[in-house]
Amino acid sequence: MVTENVELKCKEIRKQIFIQAYAAGGAHMGTAFSVADILGTLYFGDVLRYRAQQPDWEDRDKLILSKGHAGVALYAVLALAGYFDVSYLKTFCQPGSRIGGHPRINEVPGVEASTGALGHGLSFGIGIAYANKMDHKSSHTYVILGDGECQEGSVWEGALSAPTLGLDNLTVIVDHNKLQAMDELEKIVHMAPFADKWKSFGWNVLEIDGHNCEKIKQALLAREAGRPTLVIANTVKGKGVSFMENVPIWHYRMPDDEELRILCRDLEFSEEEQENLFCIKRSL
Amino acid sequence: MRTAYLDTLYELAQKDKRVYALISDNGAIVYDKYRKDLPEQYLNVGISEANMVGMAAGMASCGKIPFAYTIGAFLAYRAYEFIRNDVCLQNQNVKIVGTGAGEVYSALGPTHHSTEDLGGLRSLPNLVIICPASPLEVKKAAMAAYEHDGPVYLRLGTNKEKEIYNNEYAFQIGKAVTLKDGNDITLIGAGSILKDILDASFQLDAEGIGARVIDMHTIKPIDKEIIIRAIDETGTIMTIEDHNIIGGIGSTVAEVIAESGMPVKFIRLGLKDQFSRGYGSYDDVKEMNGVGIGNIREAVRKLLA
């Protein structure tokens, strides 16, 4: 069972996502809120094996956030997991900070690959899973793809490779919020039937509610011998902030004063937290 | 060159289990021995260059030393963003090995020629670029690439290059070699075409023109010292390459010349911002594109006139 603690962490992740966006004056918030519960369950639901105090622990599981524009969510999770201080999140995208618009390996502890250009993380993750297989290691590799990202041809090169190599130590999660930067996914490129495409490529495909931490955990721990697992996580872009949910313009935009009031209510910022939030702006 | 490369890779892989041969469905036959003896360190990922390079970077992040091999044109163009973001940006210990450098795959046409690869790849931070000219130099370069901890692009020709070095040759990344001395002009090149440059220089000797020949096997980091010395001692420099004159060896040498502030006569021989034309043997195609032995001699005479 996923404890209440995971759901509380996911609430905190959303707050920390917004704090970063607010400090920087912008971030890919919609996509970060969409993937927040998946990341929260991975790190706080006893799924990913990691040691925050020893980021290069050899036997760790690895997460590749291929949709690197949701880096702001990954930073929130890594800070809450103890890789670095939560207060550092306020430096997001500021001069001198190591946490920028897209995550970078060797710069931020806990980041396993530099991502941002879409369509890279799957092959990178396959390389890790393949190396682990050759070394007979039990480490598991997770890759999070955006659904819009799946319009990249290289994703399908990887989609062919992983089952060919029998990588049952690889789980790919597609954050399927059905929106991309400009519009609804399906209006731009026909992706349906999405699950069938992956099934026909030889993946063990599971489809879940990407905001139900219990279901997420079950899917992330599911394994099938001899082939990789693909989890289609049905999510809502902007999840958790009423006026952002399922609205494409929130791919990258900041709320005005009235929207900010609603956002603070939706994300359950306490009065003290709100005051701290506004202090960030005054101190910049 | 290809055989020399594979023999070296075989040797390295036997000694070091971290070494992996990744191929994108190219050169399968020549890999037969490797595949038979070292099946666990061999993977044909299929015709998916981007996927191969991305995978190689992921493997390198786990401590492996992958040598990702296929036709250079497909690596440099198709997989460029993967070389940039996954290998160079992350400084992963991946060796990118491209065959068919320049116009070596003469009859296959410009889709298979790597005549702009240096231009694109040279501007990638962290990437060392080596263009060996002979089988022995390939062997030494592959060893040096293995020993170098970081990304390397090894630009190979084909299998027909003649040997120009003897066994005592000491190869060093970033340290060019004066193959032949001369005080009237310096000819600079690298890779398969170097033999032609050398032959042209011998023919020029008979005409009383002393041409120095430099094997600029490492395009990056470039050996500035040897260029400065050549400017000082010969006053005239010509670069020769079966690559676009934009972005290749000529551009690289031109940068060193411009920053030296030294007066020099200088010309770049190569593709003049065009794709290679014509079919035939490698010699035929070089001649058709202005970089055959005859073209080199003629350009030297003109420059010194």
Side-chain angles (χ1 to χ4, degrees):
Chain A
M1 283 291 287
V2 169
T3 62
E4 206 175 302
N5 180 43
V6 177
E7 278 153 21
L8 285 173
K9 285 281 189 194
C10 292
K11 279 189 179 178
E12 188 57 30
I13 291 165
R14 285 194 168 80
K15 283 182 188 172
Q16 294 300 335
I17 288 169
F18 184 71
I19 288 169
Q20 292 172 83
Y22 192 68
H28 286 94
M29 262 187 296
T31 191
F33 289 151
S34 161
V35 79
D37 298 311
I38 297 165
L39 285 171
T41 309
L42 260 168
Y43 281 82
F44 305 112
D46 292 324
V47 177
L48 198 76
R49 290 171 298 175
Y50 63 94
R51 292 178 183 168
Q53 300 309 314
Q54 191 190 345
D56 56 357
W57 173 42
E58 215 185 308
D59 295 325
R60 70 194 185 277
D61 293 341
K62 288 186 179 180
L63 163 76
I64 308 298
L65 183 68
S66 191
K67 46 174 284 180
H69 55 300
V72 68
L74 181 60
Y75 301 145
V77 170
L78 292 176
L80 292 168
Y83 282 91
F84 51 90
D85 202 283
V86 173
S87 65
Y88 193 72
L89 293 173
K90 293 185 189 113
T91 70
F92 175 65
C93 285
Q94 306 293 322
S97 179
R98 286 166 171 260
I99 55 172
H102 298 91
R104 289 184 62 179
I105 192 172
N106 305 329
E107 291 281 327
V108 187
V111 171
E112 302 285 6
S114 300
T115 52
L118 296 175
H120 285 251
L122 180 52
S123 296
F124 197 94
I126 289 171
I128 294 170
Y130 182 68
N132 285 337
K133 200 86 171 156
M134 299 313 284
D135 289 343
H136 308 291
K137 276 188 171 177
S138 63
S139 303
H140 201 79
T141 305
Y142 295 90
V143 176
I144 299 180
L145 299 175
D147 52 4
E149 180 178 11
C150 293
Q151 291 164 5
E152 292 281 7
S154 57
V155 168
W156 299 99
E157 290 185 9
L160 286 166
S161 266
T164 303
L165 297 171
L167 298 180
D168 46 14
N169 57 350
L170 173 72
T171 297
V172 174
I173 306 114
V174 178
D175 179 7
H176 195 22
N177 57 37
K178 300 157 199 81
L179 289 180
Q180 57 192 99
M182 305 291 287
D183 206 340
E184 290 169 31
L185 208 70
E186 206 57 27
K187 283 188 188 167
I188 294 172
V189 174
H190 291 178
M191 309 289 280
F194 195 58
D196 290 345
K197 286 187 170 69
W198 290 93
K199 277 180 199 161
S200 71
F201 275 54
W203 291 68
N204 169 39
V205 178
L206 305 170
E207 197 158 0
I208 55 159
D209 171 354
H211 298 300
N212 180 326
C213 296
E214 184 60 44
K215 299 282 182 207
I216 296 170
K217 179 171 179 170
Q218 282 172 15
L220 296 184
L221 291 175
R223 309 276 185 266
E224 196 178 291
R227 60 181 185 153
T229 294
L230 187 282
V231 179
I232 296 175
N234 289 303
T235 54
V236 174
K237 198 163 178 175
K239 176 73 175 178
V241 179
S242 50
F243 57 87
M244 286 189 190
E245 290 188 359
N246 276 326
V247 182
I249 55 162
W250 289 101
H251 183 75
Y252 196 100
R253 196 190 143 181
M254 282 302 287
D256 60 23
D257 288 349
E258 174 55 18
E259 287 162 341
L260 185 58
R261 198 185 54 75
I262 301 167
L263 179 142
C264 285
R265 185 201 66 202
D266 289 352
L267 295 185
E268 299 176 27
F269 276 98
S270 67
E271 275 184 30
E272 191 189 344
E273 285 170 333
Q274 285 185 48
E275 184 50 34
N276 289 338
L277 188 66
F278 301 138
C279 282
I280 297 174
K281 213 59 177 181
R282 285 197 288 271
S283 68
L284 289 174
Chain B
M1 274 199 202
R2 215 161 60 164
T3 309
Y5 165 71
L6 280 167
D7 288 349
T8 313
L9 188 66
Y10 181 88
E11 236 176 80
L12 290 170
Q14 265 193 327
K15 273 195 313 205
D16 188 342
K17 290 283 163 216
R18 297 173 303 163
V19 171
Y20 276 76
L22 298 189
I23 69 168
S24 181
D25 204 39
N26 181 270
I29 297 163
V30 291
Y31 272 93
D32 271 356
K33 182 176 160 59
Y34 184 109
R35 197 162 38 164
K36 190 173 142 278
D37 296 347
L38 301 159
E40 296 222 320
Q41 288 162 269
Y42 166 88
L43 180 65
N44 182 352
V45 301
I47 307 164
S48 56
E49 296 80 8
N51 184 43
M52 174 171 70
V53 174
M55 266 189 76
M59 290 172 71
S61 79
C62 297
K64 306 296 181 201
I65 309 175
F67 283 67
Y69 171 102
T70 190
I71 293 178
F74 306 157
L75 278 168
Y77 310 141
R78 176 72 65 109
Y80 186 84
E81 193 189 60
F82 291 75
I83 296 174
R84 179 182 185 270
N85 290 359
D86 299 348
V87 177
C88 295
L89 174 64
Q90 309 190 39
N91 207 12
Q92 298 291 0
N93 194 17
V94 174
K95 316 305 167 189
I96 310 286
V97 186
T99 58
E103 295 162 345
V104 159
Y105 290 144
S106 52
L108 300 182
T111 54
H112 284 56
H113 295 169
S114 45
T115 49
E116 306 82 26
D117 57 330
L118 293 175
L121 294 171
R122 197 165 70 83
S123 60
L124 292 180
N126 295 333
L127 187 65
V128 166
I129 302 179
I130 310 176
C131 308
S134 77
L136 184 63
E137 193 165 50
V138 166
K139 189 178 166 58
K140 304 263 182 182
M143 292 295 277
Y146 162 77
E147 281 158 14
H148 175 80
D149 184 15
V152 176
Y153 176 51
L154 197 55
R155 191 177 190 256
L156 304 181
T158 174
N159 227 2
K160 294 171 190 159
E161 292 82 3
K162 293 199 171 68
E163 191 50 71
I164 54 173
Y165 286 104
N166 62 39
N167 282 334
E168 271 128 65
Y169 174 39
F171 176 92
Q172 201 185 329
I173 288 175
K175 200 88 190 142
V177 179
T178 303
L179 278 180
K180 176 179 167 294
D181 227 335
N183 291 321
D184 297 323
I185 185 169
T186 302
L187 309 179
I188 302 177
S192 306
I193 201 171
L194 196 69
K195 181 73 172 58
D196 297 340
I197 301 172
L198 205 53
D199 288 348
S201 79
F202 288 126
Q203 292 171 12
L204 287 165
D205 279 343
E207 298 177 28
I209 297 173
R212 181 178 297 188
V213 177
I214 292 176
D215 173 7
M216 192 61 77
H217 54 68
T218 308
I219 309 301
K220 194 184 165 196
I222 192 84
D223 185 348
K224 292 180 185 171
E225 241 176 66
I226 205 167
I227 299 171
I228 302 285
R229 204 161 55 241
I231 300 171
D232 191 38
E233 292 172 4
T234 70
T236 307
I237 308 258
M238 180 188 290
T239 54
I240 302 108
E241 57 195 321
D242 48 339
H243 183 281
N244 194 343
I245 55 167
I246 298 175
I249 296 179
S251 293
T252 313
V253 171
E255 288 164 13
V256 177
I257 289 174
E259 287 184 348
S260 75
M262 296 162 78
V264 59
K265 264 192 186 173
F266 173 64
I267 193 167
R268 295 169 296 163
L269 213 59
L271 288 167
K272 291 182 172 47
D273 200 17
Q274 62 194 19
F275 295 103
S276 57
R277 291 166 301 185
Y279 304 101
S281 69
Y282 181 37
D283 284 342
D284 292 335
V285 171
K286 275 181 293 189
E287 204 73 43
M288 277 181 256
N289 288 282
V291 288
I293 296 180
N295 306 112
I296 298 170
R297 279 201 322 263
E298 198 184 311
V300 168
R301 284 190 211 111
K302 213 169 143 189
L303 192 61
L304 293 177

